[in-house]
Amino acid sequence: MGFWQRILVNAIIFLAIAGFFPNALFVSSIWMAIGASLVLGILNALVKPILTLLSLPITLLTLGLFSIIINAIMLRLTAFFVGSGFAFSSFSSAILVAIVISLVNMIISSHFGRAA
């Protein structure tokens, strides 16, 4: 799945989660979801590899579960950079959104991987 397809899928996921869990995630508009998805993609390309490398020992100790916390940190950074139109109610809601985004992206990536 390409970069722009992943941006669009993440924006749709943000809107869906904001609809299903309005107390966990606030997204003010479709354009804010697309902008947050774009910022998340850029942060995942630039910052996430550094965080992953620095947290490698604890990730190995937790058998990879700490990567969910790294994803939640990336989502909180996205909310910080995007502004008030995209916000999480708490860090635990960011963890929930990180889990949902990871699962949906895994399912969609495996589906498109077989089709190509």
Side-chain angles (χ1 to χ4, degrees):
M1 186 163 53
F3 178 75
W4 293 109
Q5 291 170 336
R6 190 168 302 272
I7 296 296
L8 184 62
V9 167
N10 283 342
I12 292 169
I13 294 170
F14 286 150
L15 290 171
I17 292 173
F20 285 124
F21 304 110
N23 294 331
L25 175 63
F26 171 72
V27 180
S28 63
S29 68
I30 293 173
W31 298 109
M32 190 60 70
I34 292 171
S37 181
L38 183 63
V39 169
L40 180 63
I42 293 168
L43 286 174
N44 279 340
L46 298 177
V47 178
K48 190 174 180 180
I50 297 168
L51 282 178
T52 304
L53 185 63
L54 291 175
S55 66
L56 189 59
I58 194 166
T59 303
L60 291 174
L61 285 174
T62 61
L63 302 175
L65 291 177
F66 193 72
S67 63
I68 295 170
I69 303 300
I70 293 172
N71 289 339
I73 291 170
M74 298 306 296
L75 287 170
R76 292 294 293 230
L77 274 173
T78 301
F80 174 76
F81 285 122
V82 170
S84 62
F86 182 81
F88 294 95
S89 62
S90 65
F91 189 71
S92 61
S93 65
I95 291 173
L96 173 71
V97 172
I99 291 170
V100 171
I101 286 178
S102 297
L103 289 174
V104 172
N105 277 329
M106 179 182 63
I107 291 167
I108 290 175
S109 293
S110 68
H111 174 70
F112 282 120
R114 281 184 282 166

